[in-house]
């Protein structure tokens, strides 16, 4: 293991309180992120948007999220989690307020930009709190618990948020979410602290050299990014996160509900139940995969990550190839298969933490986190484009056959990511001495 960080021997009540507030903020961030997917058909009708335009809302949001990951990582390494999460919550609140009053697609896109920027700040900052306040050996399980609790935000978006929209108005619904964001910003600023009180500064230990380093704001940004990417373990983390969660993200953020209702002919309640099964399955799988990741650190990719990718590919292939509307049980199987992607994607952060010292931990985490959202925005855009090219780009023209062809756009992303996972896994094992270096002929 090339690096580690100084962390408490055992977390006390204050560590758990800080983590709880951080993960509650992350839960609200997930609610904000998936709020459009839960009301996608309503959004299409409100803005008179075709499939490509509807995709653009999610693509812009995810593009900003992915593009902000490295800058957020650098800022976290400089200033810590407390101010970054606070600013993130305020940006999301501003985005939802703009969304609440937006009269046109252009204004709504500005709202999604603000939302993506704020969302980008929260998850990496909570992971930094885990690394700072908890012992390193608890890291994989705590990361999974963070993801597990955070995913309940999807249920909030799916059920209460959608119900509120259908009983009140668009403005009241999104304005209420904006108000929650402001309250959480105040809570985060009041409770969260960057590091335990016994530490006067963030420090890291590089076990290659034994050097103890104090983390300050004088880090060279370019050097930190280049150093993180130079290690094949960071690239393995990036491609692991690129490949595992994007299908579930595309399904929940935008295309799942239209596919299930307009494509498969399910009622809104049935579709919501299937997406709920996706969320709950991910929550149940998280601790199991986290514990396995802790137990088999040298086999995470081949035993956990790649099987999760294969499971999703097979499930989607069966649903797409089914000659008639898929039976309900098969759609539940699809939901469970897609749910493996979220917990498997968390393994990427185990790679990032293992192969980077603390003075560039958040930078490496940002690089890693960008992977999944780059893949997701590509998938969401390609699915929308494929629907439009088939003349099935609006709620009135959606069809099952068009959705089947559109969802095939995910296959090249899985194959590309799996190939790079194998390449970077081999390079990482050579780098840390587990495999012999290849001899050049």
């Amino acid at each position: 293991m090339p690096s580690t960080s100084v962390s408490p021997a055992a977390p006390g009540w204050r560590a758990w309180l800080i983590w709880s507030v951080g993960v509650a903020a992350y839960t609200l961030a997930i609610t904000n992120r998936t709020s459009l997917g839960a009301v996608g058909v309503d959004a299409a009708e409100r803005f008179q948007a075709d499939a490509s335009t509807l995709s653009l809302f999610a693509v812009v949001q995810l593009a900003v999220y992915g593009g902000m990951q490295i800058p957020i990582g650098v800022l976290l390494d400089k200033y810590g989690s407390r101010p970054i999460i606070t600013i993130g919550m305020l940006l999301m609140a501003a985005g939802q307020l703009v969304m609440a009053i937006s009269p046109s697609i252009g204004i709504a896109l500005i709202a999604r930009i603000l939302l993506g920027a704020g969302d980008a700040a929260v998850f990496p900052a909570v992971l930094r709190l885990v690394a700072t306040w908890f012992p390193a050996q608890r890291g994989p399980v705590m990361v999974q618990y963070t993801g597990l609790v955070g995913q309940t935000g999807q249920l909030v978006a799916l059920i209460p948020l959608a119900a509120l929209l259908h009983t009140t108005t668009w403005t009241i619904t999104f304005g209420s979410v904006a108000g929650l964001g402001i309250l959480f910003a105040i809570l985060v600023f009041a409770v969260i602290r960057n590091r335990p009180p016994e530490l006067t500064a963030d420090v890291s230990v590089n076990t290659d050299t034994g050097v103890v380093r104090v983390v300050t704001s004088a880090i060279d940004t370019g050097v930190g990014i280049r150093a993180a990417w130079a290690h094949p373990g960071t690239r393995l983390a990036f491609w692991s996160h690129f490949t595992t969660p994007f299908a579930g993200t595309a399904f929940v953020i935008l295309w799942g509900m239209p596919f299930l209702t307009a494509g498969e002919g399910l009622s809104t309640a049935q579709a919501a139940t299937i997406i709920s099964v996706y969320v709950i399955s991910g929550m149940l799988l998280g601790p199991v995969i986290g514990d396995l990741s802790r137990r088999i650190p040298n086999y995470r990719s081949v035993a956990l990550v790649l099987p999760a990718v294969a499971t999703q590919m097979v499930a989607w292939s069966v649903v797409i190839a089914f000659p008639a509307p898929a039976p309900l049980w098969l759609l539940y199987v699809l939901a469970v298969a897609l749910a493996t992607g979220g917990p498997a994607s968390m393994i990427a952060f185990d790679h990032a933490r293992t192969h980077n010292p603390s003075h560039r931990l958040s930078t490496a985490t940002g690089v890693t986190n960008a992977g999944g959202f780059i893949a997701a925005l590509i998938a969401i855009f390609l699915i929308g484009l494929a629907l439009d090219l088939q003349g099935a780009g609006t709620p009135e023209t959606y069809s099952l056959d068009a959705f089947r062809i559109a969802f095939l756009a995910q296959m090249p992303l899985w194959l590309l990511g799996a190939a790079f996972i194998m390449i970077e896994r081999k390079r990482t094992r050579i780098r840390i001495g587990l495999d012999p270096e290849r001899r050049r002929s």
Side-chain angles (χ1 to χ4, degrees), residues 67-243:
M68 288 293 292
Q69 286 304 300
I70 293 176
I72 289 293
V74 172
L75 291 171
L76 277 169
D77 284 332
K78 291 182 177 183
Y79 302 115
S81 298
R82 182 193 186 199
I84 300 303
I85 300 178
T86 302
I87 293 171
M89 301 310 293
L90 292 174
L91 283 172
M92 283 189 288
Q96 294 291 35
L97 184 60
V98 172
M99 196 71 178
I101 60 176
S102 58
S104 64
I105 290 174
I107 301 299
L109 287 174
I110 294 174
R112 305 314 284 181
I113 290 171
L114 291 170
L115 198 64
D119 186 14
V122 180
F123 183 61
V126 177
L127 291 190
R128 186 171 184 85
L129 291 175
V130 169
T132 305
W133 284 89
F134 289 84
Q137 63 269 27
R138 292 200 184 189
V141 175
M142 289 303 301
V143 168
Q144 289 290 349
Y145 278 133
T146 300
L148 182 157
V149 178
Q151 294 315 304
T152 59
Q154 297 182 34
L155 295 177
V156 175
L158 184 65
I159 301 171
L161 186 69
L164 181 62
L165 176 61
H166 295 145
T167 55
T168 59
T169 66
W170 181 277
T171 300
I172 291 174
T173 300
F174 285 91
S176 299
V177 180
L180 278 177
I182 294 172
L183 291 176
F184 268 77
I186 296 170
L187 180 63
V188 165
F189 191 79
V191 175
I192 287 180
R193 295 295 181 270
N194 288 342
R195 56 182 177 268
E198 62 269 19
L199 298 179
T200 57
D202 289 349
V203 296
S204 66
V205 179
N206 188 325
T207 55
D208 287 337
T209 63
V211 172
V212 177
R213 174 173 178 174
V214 176
V215 181
T216 70
S217 61
I219 300 169
D220 186 311
T221 300
V223 171
I225 296 171
R226 288 194 298 271
W229 185 254
H231 198 295
T234 304
R235 300 196 297 272
L236 174 61
F238 173 89
W239 287 109
S240 297
H241 202 261
F242 179 97
T243 314

Side-chain angles (χ1 to χ4, degrees), residues 140-398:
V141 175
M142 289 303 301
V143 168
Q144 289 290 349
Y145 278 133
T146 300
L148 182 157
V149 178
Q151 294 315 304
T152 59
Q154 297 182 34
L155 295 177
V156 175
L158 184 65
I159 301 171
L161 186 69
L164 181 62
L165 176 61
H166 295 145
T167 55
T168 59
T169 66
W170 181 277
T171 300
I172 291 174
T173 300
F174 285 91
S176 299
V177 180
L180 278 177
I182 294 172
L183 291 176
F184 268 77
I186 296 170
L187 180 63
V188 165
F189 191 79
V191 175
I192 287 180
R193 295 295 181 270
N194 288 342
R195 56 182 177 268
E198 62 269 19
L199 298 179
T200 57
D202 289 349
V203 296
S204 66
V205 179
N206 188 325
T207 55
D208 287 337
T209 63
V211 172
V212 177
R213 174 173 178 174
V214 176
V215 181
T216 70
S217 61
I219 300 169
D220 186 311
T221 300
V223 171
I225 296 171
R226 288 194 298 271
W229 185 254
H231 198 295
T234 304
R235 300 196 297 272
L236 174 61
F238 173 89
W239 287 109
S240 297
H241 202 261
F242 179 97
T243 314
T244 45
F246 74 82
T249 302
F251 194 77
V252 171
I253 283 187
L254 192 60
W255 291 121
M257 191 66 77
F259 165 71
L260 293 172
T261 54
E264 292 288 350
L266 302 183
S267 67
T268 301
Q270 288 174 315
T273 301
I274 289 173
I275 295 178
S276 298
V277 167
Y278 162 82
V279 176
I280 294 169
S281 298
M283 294 170 64
L284 294 175
L285 288 169
V288 176
I289 292 178
D291 189 57
L292 289 173
S293 177
R294 179 182 63 84
R295 292 174 182 270
I296 53 171
N298 296 330
Y299 299 97
R300 292 165 174 162
S301 296
V302 294
L304 298 172
V305 174
L306 291 175
V309 174
T311 299
Q312 294 176 73
M313 289 183 66
V314 170
W316 257 126
S317 297
V318 173
V319 170
I320 290 170
F322 206 83
L328 203 56
W329 66 264
L330 182 56
L331 296 174
Y332 282 121
V333 170
L334 174 65
V336 175
L338 292 177
T340 64
S345 74
M346 295 296 173
I347 294 171
F349 300 107
D350 296 337
H351 290 311
R353 184 177 58 254
T354 298
H355 300 295
N356 288 275
S358 287
H359 60 265
R360 66 167 188 255
L361 174 62
S362 293
T363 301
T365 298
V367 171
T368 301
N369 206 23
F373 291 92
I374 291 171
L377 71 88
I378 294 172
I380 288 171
F381 177 74
L382 289 178
I383 292 168
L385 180 62
L387 287 172
D388 276 346
L389 290 175
Q390 297 174 83
T394 62
E396 295 77 21
T397 57
Y398 287 155

Side-chain angles (χ1 to χ4, degrees), residues 408-429:
L408 286 172
Q410 300 172 113
M411 298 297 174
L413 296 176
W414 276 315
L415 296 174
L416 176 69
F420 274 103
I421 287 171
M422 295 303 296
I423 291 169
E424 298 301 345
R425 178 179 185 269
K426 184 65 176 178
R427 289 173 176 171
T428 302
R429 288 177 65 85

